[in-house]
Amino acid sequence: MSIAESTAESTADAKPVAARRAAIVQLDDKLINQIAAGEVIERPASLLKELLENSVDAGATRIRVHAERGGLKRIAVQDDGAGIPEAETRLALSRHATSKLRRFDDLFNVDTLGFRGEALPSIAAVSRLSLTSRTADSASAFQVTCDGGAVGAPRPVAHPPGTTVEAIDLFYNTPARRKFLRTEKTELKHLDDVVRRVALSRFDLDIHFVHDGREVFHALAARTAAERERRIAGICGAPFAGQSVYFEDETDIMTLRGWMGLPTFSRSQRDLQYFFVNERAVRDHLIAHAVRRAYHDVLYHGRHPAFALFFHIQPNLVDVNVHPAKSEVRFRDSRAVHDYIYRTLHRAIAALTPGESAVELPTPAAVAAARAPGAGQGGYGSGAAQRNIRMLVAEQMDNYRALHPSADADAGATQPGANGEEAPPMGYALAQLKGIYILAENADGLIMVDMHAAHERITYETLKRQATEQSAGSQPLVVPLSILVSAAEAEAAEQFHDVFNDLGFEIDRLGGEQLAVRAVPELLVKADIEMLVRDVLSDLLEHGSSERITNAEHEILSSIACHGSIRANRKLTHAEMNALLRQMEQVERSAQCNHGRPTWMSVSLPEIDKWFMRGR
């Protein structure tokens, strides 16, 4: 008998071994708290986040944070908030004990950062914790200690009104958890990030962070616009503060405000992106998608925008109870939130023109009026596009000459503004450099413009506007394209049938999981239709909307604009250069070309003076 036959025979004769069944038991409180701590307290920074949120909810105006050895040895948070009465100090260290909820309905109308009542007992389960608190009407403060879950009796101590929570030797009783922590330097970086996020979410807070006796961060309360700008610079960096714009927008149930980094101030990573929902720092793929869509068309490939955005919505329209660490949220109408954030940022970016330091958003009614049928002329076919390209600068030059009849086209002519006329943001042209750049003088100094990149953006925006004003042309396919999809995608194709029709597609559902594409938009005849339809269906299922088709059309228009714009080494007259500068001041997104490259930059007169050591 072979080995294989012997093995098969012994396997056939073997009886199944009965699985061992463990008895169901009630876990003890200590283990329950340690399990909860594993969900809430991942590292010293998550401990600090919970304590800071409690201080904010207590109405604190001053918060002091002291940490040692990256928070592993000690973290102490002192605030001047409302404090805790003596009778409630022990209760505060009990699981699910909170002053922020009373009944089930409150869970769906949360307007505080913390509400579960898990933070303090979770921290106490994995550290040696002390809680010291005093209310404003109490003559003495009281302190309770907890070592590994054993809570002591309150005792009177000296302490100003407010609360101090101190956690020593984090994870001392769970050494396996300590092994997963990083170096002290890395943990300190995470602590600092938490403090800065809280400081960014609440400008009215005075917050001070000290590590190993050395000040790491200190932000004074910021109540005026100038003070808020300084805090933004202190947290996000002076370059961000200098290359971002502040904006505000409000509806009946939602508001969005904050600092939006200019597209030219992009990042290689997503390391300068702050988003707060009702003052809570969150990470949300829906919000990230909306922001990414808004910055589409102005960022260089592979770059990421920088921003600090504050979104407010009625508490009953957002569920903050979807993650133990409360770092994620769920909106009741996620599509409405997504579209509102996208539209607001999209309009804010479009409203940026040279010389802007803040953005005044056009109203939705004004945007609709500007895009109404008949507001523009011509289609966006290749013939109309090319005619528009050829006429664009000539038309602007005629307008400019009508406004400045004394402006001569030759290089020696007197420039506009010489008689005391205030220079516009992009100034007046001085000369061309190497047939590539326009040099202009404005009130602040010198402007340098990449004339091809600038004209490319102007032409591209014109073509996009014309495409928006005209209904999408549709091209029937000689042979319908058959696409196999999932049942969910087929249902989405039926549900959003009118959306596809508006975009120029004619799609029918042939069977349970088969679609037939019978017509496509004229500009996309040569595109990969199957991949495009699949991508659109994926977006519709996840977000309820899609920009894939519009983006594909824009790529074609961008190519037309690129090939039809002013090329290097073309000599322009002063009138033509000035006409281009005036157009840049009016067109949307004129600071970047279609590929995300900057179209212009400036050098102030003080900077030029430094080059030549003037005034020294």
Side-chain angles (χ1 to χ4, degrees):
M1 181 182 293
S2 66
I3 295 177
E5 293 173 338
S6 176
T7 302
E9 182 178 339
S10 61
T11 301
D13 295 338
K15 295 181 179 180
V17 179
R20 295 185 60 187
R21 178 187 176 279
I24 297 175
V25 298
Q26 181 70 49
L27 296 179
D28 63 72
D29 290 341
K30 181 177 180 180
L31 182 56
I32 290 173
N33 284 336
Q34 288 183 337
I35 292 173
E39 295 178 342
V40 178
I41 311 301
E42 300 176 355
R43 62 193 328 150
S46 53
L47 181 154
L48 178 59
K49 171 182 175 291
E50 298 291 341
L51 296 183
L52 289 175
E53 288 180 350
N54 280 344
S55 294
V56 171
D57 286 341
T61 60
R62 296 175 68 253
I63 300 178
R64 297 293 177 262
V65 179
H66 294 269
E68 297 178 15
R69 293 179 53 189
L72 289 173
K73 179 62 180 175
R74 174 176 177 262
I75 292 180
V77 176
Q78 179 182 356
D79 66 56
D80 63 349
I84 304 172
E86 175 191 2
E88 300 175 11
T89 51
R90 283 176 56 88
L91 186 61
L93 300 182
S94 303
R95 294 191 70 229
H96 303 306
T98 177
S99 62
K100 302 163 189 177
L101 293 177
R102 285 293 181 269
R103 57 185 186 275
F104 179 76
D105 291 344
D106 292 342
L107 196 59
F108 301 97
N109 196 30
V110 175
D111 59 358
T112 55
L113 297 178
F115 55 90
R116 294 168 176 259
E118 290 181 314
L120 289 179
S122 297
I123 296 170
V126 291
S127 69
R128 297 183 173 92
L129 181 140
S130 69
L131 168 66
T132 307
S133 190
R134 174 186 170 189
T135 58
D137 57 356
S138 176
S140 174
F142 290 87
Q143 182 181 80
V144 293
T145 59
C146 186
D147 191 342
V151 183
R155 61 186 182 87
V157 294
H159 189 278
T163 302
T164 297
V165 180
E166 183 180 54
I168 298 176
D169 295 334
L170 181 62
F171 300 138
Y172 78 98
N173 54 353
T174 53
R177 183 57 76 74
R178 289 182 70 102
K179 293 180 181 179
F180 284 92
L181 298 179
R182 304 300 181 184
T183 63
E184 290 183 16
K185 183 178 180 180
T186 300
E187 296 301 334
L188 171 59
K189 182 179 181 300
H190 287 290
L191 291 175
D192 184 47
D193 184 59
V194 167
V195 173
R196 290 172 184 269
R197 285 183 183 272
V198 172
L200 194 56
S201 69
R202 291 290 299 267
F203 285 90
D204 58 332
L205 274 180
D206 181 320
I207 187 166
H208 191 197
F209 177 32
V210 175
H211 180 262
D212 288 343
R214 180 179 62 86
E215 181 182 286
V216 178
F217 177 78
H218 188 194
L220 298 173
R223 294 180 175 84
T224 67
E227 290 172 344
R228 288 192 289 270
E229 290 285 348
R230 283 197 292 271
R231 177 171 286 198
I232 282 290
I235 296 174
C236 301
F240 173 80
Q243 299 187 63
S244 63
V245 293
Y246 179 80
F247 73 96
E248 293 182 354
D249 189 79
E250 182 176 359
T251 68
D252 293 339
I253 60 174
M254 294 181 284
T255 64
L256 183 64
R257 62 181 180 85
W259 285 263
M260 179 184 65
L262 297 176
T264 47
F265 184 72
S266 59
R267 312 280 290 181
S268 61
Q269 300 177 349
R270 298 181 180 89
D271 59 342
L272 198 52
Q273 297 183 348
Y274 297 95
F275 197 95
F276 300 88
V277 175
N278 295 349
E279 299 178 348
R280 183 191 307 276
V282 300
R283 300 186 303 270
D284 187 273
H285 76 280
L286 179 95
I287 294 171
H289 181 266
V291 175
R292 190 166 58 249
R293 275 186 59 193
Y295 273 90
H296 173 76
D297 216 17
V298 292
L299 284 185
Y300 195 71
H301 303 298
R303 305 289 291 181
H304 303 281
F307 53 82
L309 302 176
F310 304 85
F311 179 67
H312 284 263
I313 190 172
Q314 294 177 6
N316 63 328
L317 299 179
V318 57
D319 183 5
V320 298
N321 191 32
V322 296
H323 191 276
K326 303 183 292 294
S327 60
E328 299 175 6
V329 296
R330 182 183 294 118
F331 299 102
R332 179 178 295 182
D333 190 344
S334 58
R335 181 175 179 180
V337 171
H338 175 279
D339 290 348
Y340 171 71
I341 293 173
Y342 161 68
R343 288 196 308 268
T344 303
L345 291 178
H346 185 72
R347 286 188 288 123
I349 293 171
L352 291 174
T353 56
E356 292 285 355
S357 59
V359 176
E360 182 177 351
L361 298 184
T363 64
V367 175
R371 294 182 175 179
Q377 298 177 355
Y380 59 93
S382 58
Q386 294 299 328
R387 286 196 301 273
N388 184 280
I389 291 167
R390 289 194 299 268
M391 294 172 60
L392 189 60
V393 170
E395 180 181 322
Q396 291 300 317
M397 186 176 68
D398 291 341
N399 293 338
Y400 174 78
R401 283 172 172 161
L403 294 173
H404 302 278
S406 62
D408 198 349
D410 60 48
T414 302
Q415 287 297 294
N419 298 322
E421 181 182 349
E422 183 178 354
M426 295 299 293
Y428 293 113
L430 298 174
Q432 262 184 295
L433 178 63
K434 299 295 184 180
I436 301 173
Y437 302 103
I438 296 173
L439 304 183
E441 177 185 357
N442 68 356
D444 298 322
L446 181 67
I447 298 287
M448 291 168 283
V449 176
D450 183 328
M451 65 182 193
H452 171 74
H455 191 221
E456 183 180 11
R457 169 59 72 175
I458 293 169
T459 307
Y460 178 43
E461 290 298 327
T462 301
L463 296 177
K464 284 199 303 181
R465 186 178 65 252
Q466 291 177 345
T468 302
E469 293 165 355
Q470 302 296 319
S471 59
S474 185
Q475 174 69 51
L477 299 179
V478 177
V479 179
L481 175 64
S482 179
I483 304 177
L484 292 176
V485 296
S486 67
E489 290 173 330
E491 291 175 3
E494 283 191 321
Q495 179 185 354
F496 294 98
H497 185 268
D498 292 341
V499 173
F500 279 105
N501 281 350
D502 292 342
L503 294 170
F505 278 91
E506 183 182 338
I507 300 178
D508 295 327
R509 186 176 182 178
L510 298 181
E513 299 178 355
Q514 187 175 14
L515 301 177
V517 182
R518 304 186 186 280
V520 299
E522 289 179 347
L523 283 179
L524 303 180
V525 172
K526 296 182 179 180
D528 188 337
I529 300 301
E530 181 174 348
M531 183 181 69
L532 190 57
V533 170
R534 291 184 185 277
D535 289 343
V536 171
L537 289 172
S538 177
D539 287 345
L540 292 173
L541 286 171
E542 185 172 1
H543 306 292
S545 63
S546 177
E547 291 289 308
R548 301 270 185 175
I549 297 172
T550 302
N551 292 344
E553 290 181 341
H554 285 179
E555 288 182 9
I556 296 174
L557 297 179
S558 175
S559 179
I560 294 174
C562 182
H563 291 295
S565 297
I566 300 172
R567 293 293 182 179
N569 299 318
R570 174 178 170 179
K571 295 297 183 181
L572 299 181
T573 66
H574 275 69
E576 289 175 320
M577 289 187 283
N578 282 315
L580 191 64
L581 297 177
R582 300 294 76 76
Q583 189 77 357
M584 289 180 66
E585 294 165 350
Q586 300 171 13
V587 77
E588 297 177 347
R589 308 172 186 87
S590 62
Q592 303 81 34
C593 74
N594 312 348
H595 314 292
R597 294 190 300 106
T599 59
W600 67 281
M601 64 180 298
S602 63
V603 183
S604 67
L605 188 59
E607 290 178 283
I608 298 175
D609 288 341
K610 287 182 181 179
W611 297 347
F612 296 96
M613 300 183 181
R614 291 182 61 87
R616 296 188 182 182

